Amino acid sequence: AAALVAMVAEFTLGKEKYQSKEKDFQEILNKAKKLQGELTDLIDKDSQAYEEVAKNKNSAGAIKKAAEIPLQTAEKSLLVLQMAKFAHKYGNHKLTSDSFGAVYLAKTAISIALENVKINLPYLVEEKRREKMAASVEKITKLTKEVI
C-alpha cells in the first residue's frame, strides 16, 4: 500500500494540474517511502515474534512482542491509509485504480494486524498493558472507519 501511495505521489508531483497540492504530495512521497521500509521490517519482526511464541508458549516476553509488533503495524498502516485516501482524492487521476488499491490494501493490513493483536491480548500477563493495547485497538478501529 505504501509503495502504491509513493507511486501516485511521484506521478502527481510536477504536474501543473496538481500544483496546488505539490507540497502535500512531496511530504506524502517521503513519508510513504519511509513507512514502506518500516512496514517491511515489521513483517520480519512479526515472523520472529511468532517463532518465539511457538518455541516458548508460556513466555510473557514472547507474547508481549507478538501483540506489540502487529499493533505497530496497524498504527503505521493507518498512516498509509490516510495518505492513500488523500492521494485518491487529490492525486493524479490517471492513477485512481492505484490509489484505490492502496486504500484497500492499507485497510486490510490494519484489519489483519489488529486481529493478531486481539488474539494475543488474553495471554498478556500485565493487566495494564492488556487494557492499554485493547484501547489502542479500539482507537485504531474507530480512526480507520472514519477514514474509509
Side-chain angles (χ1 to χ4, degrees), residues 48-101:
Q48 292 167 358
Y50 177 80
E51 288 177 21
E52 279 185 50
V53 170
K55 290 178 186 174
N56 308 302
K57 290 183 174 136
N58 297 322
S59 167
I63 297 289
K64 181 179 153 192
K65 270 189 185 174
E68 286 178 343
I69 292 168
L71 185 60
Q72 291 172 23
T73 301
E75 291 166 344
K76 291 179 186 304
S77 295
L78 177 58
L79 296 173
V80 173
L81 175 62
Q82 292 165 335
M83 292 187 301
K85 188 74 175 197
F86 184 90
H88 187 69
K89 186 172 183 177
Y90 299 108
N92 189 325
H93 296 295
K94 292 179 181 177
L95 284 94
T96 301
S97 62
D98 298 293
S99 58
F100 180 81

Side-chain angles (χ1 to χ4, degrees), residues 24-42:
D24 295 314
F25 278 101
Q26 187 59 59
E27 188 176 324
I28 285 171
L29 176 60
N30 295 336
K31 283 184 183 178
K33 285 183 174 184
K34 182 177 184 235
L35 284 166
Q36 184 180 357
E38 291 173 356
L39 285 163
T40 301
D41 290 344
L42 285 168

Side-chain angles (χ1 to χ4, degrees), residues 15-30:
K15 303 281 190 280
E16 190 175 324
K17 183 176 180 179
Y18 308 104
Q19 199 64 32
S20 67
K21 301 292 184 191
E22 186 83 10
K23 272 187 174 179
D24 295 314
F25 278 101
Q26 187 59 59
E27 188 176 324
I28 285 171
L29 176 60
N30 295 336

